[in-house]
C-alpha cells in the first residue's frame, strides 16, 4: 500500500518561497514517476511538476516553469517542491502523487496517478 504524506505548506507573502516535501512509503518505487498537482477552490486539479524516480527527468506546468523546482532524494524516499517567486494565483491545496506505469503520454494526466497524499494548503497573500 503506497502512502504519500505531504508537509511544508503555509501562508507566505507574494514574492516569497516555500518548500513542500512528500514522504513516500509502502513499496519499492523504482520506475515510478512522482508528481505534484494543485487544486484551488472551484477549479480542477492542475499539474504542477513531475519527476522520474531516478531524478533524471523533470517536467513542469507552464504556470510554474522557472519558479518551481522538483527534486528527489532516493535514499529518503522524499520528493521536494521548491517554490520561489510565489504569486497569489499559486494559492491552492498541493497534492503529491505516484504513477506506477509512468507512460510518456501521461505526465500531466492526473488520472494516470494511482496514489495520492492528503494534500497541504499553500496560501499566498498579495
Amino acid at each position: 500500500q503506497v502512502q504519500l504524506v505531504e508537509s511544508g505548506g503555509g501562508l507566505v507573502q507574494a514574492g516569497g518561497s516555500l518548500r513542500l516535501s512528500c514522504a513516500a512509503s509502502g513499496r519499492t518505487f523504482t520506475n515510478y514517476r512522482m508528481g505534484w498537482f494543485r487544486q484551488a477552490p472551484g477549479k480542477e486539479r492542475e499539474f504542477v511538476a513531475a519527476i522520474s524516480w531516478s531524478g533524471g527527468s523533470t517536467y513542469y506546468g507552464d504556470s510554474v516553469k522557472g519558479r518551481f523546482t522538483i527534486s528527489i532524494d532516493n535514499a529518503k524516499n522524499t520528493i521536494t517542491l521548491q517554490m520561489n517567486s510565489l504569486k497569489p494565483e499559486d494559492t491552492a491545496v498541493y497534492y503529491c502523487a505516484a504513477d506506477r506505469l509512468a507512460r510518456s503520454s501521461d505526465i500531466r494526466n492526473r488520472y494516470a496517478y494511482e496514489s495520492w497524499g492528503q494534500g497541504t494548503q499553500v496560501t499566498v497573500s498579495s
Side-chain angles (χ1 to χ4, degrees):
Q1 182 82 6
V2 173
Q3 286 192 317
L4 304 173
V5 180
E6 302 99 334
S7 61
L11 173 65
V12 65
Q13 287 189 330
S17 298
L18 278 177
R19 176 175 291 191
L20 305 183
S21 294
C22 173
S25 63
R27 64 158 298 146
T28 301
F29 290 93
T30 305
N31 298 324
Y32 267 64
R33 180 164 53 233
M34 306 301 292
W36 284 97
F37 288 75
R38 67 187 182 186
Q39 190 165 16
K43 295 189 176 181
E44 293 202 350
R45 195 163 294 192
E46 174 191 21
F47 171 77
V48 175
I51 188 167
S52 59
W53 191 256
S54 68
S57 298
T58 57
Y59 315 89
Y60 295 94
D62 289 341
S63 61
V64 307
K65 206 171 293 183
R67 299 188 297 123
F68 291 10
T69 302
I70 189 170
S71 61
I72 192 165
D73 184 335
N74 299 115
K76 296 181 179 179
N77 280 12
T78 300
I79 302 90
T80 298
L81 185 69
Q82 177 66 42
M83 306 186 294
N84 298 330
S85 302
L86 283 161
K87 305 174 181 180
E89 51 263 44
D90 293 318
T91 295
V93 177
Y94 282 70
Y95 297 92
C96 179
D99 176 4
R100 178 177 59 87
L101 298 179
R103 295 190 180 100
S104 58
S105 57
D106 286 337
I107 294 168
R108 293 168 175 80
N109 179 6
R110 66 182 187 270
Y111 298 109
Y113 292 77
E114 309 91 11
S115 302
W116 293 82
Q118 81 287 351
T120 186
Q121 177 71 46
V122 171
T123 303
V124 184
S125 63
S126 57

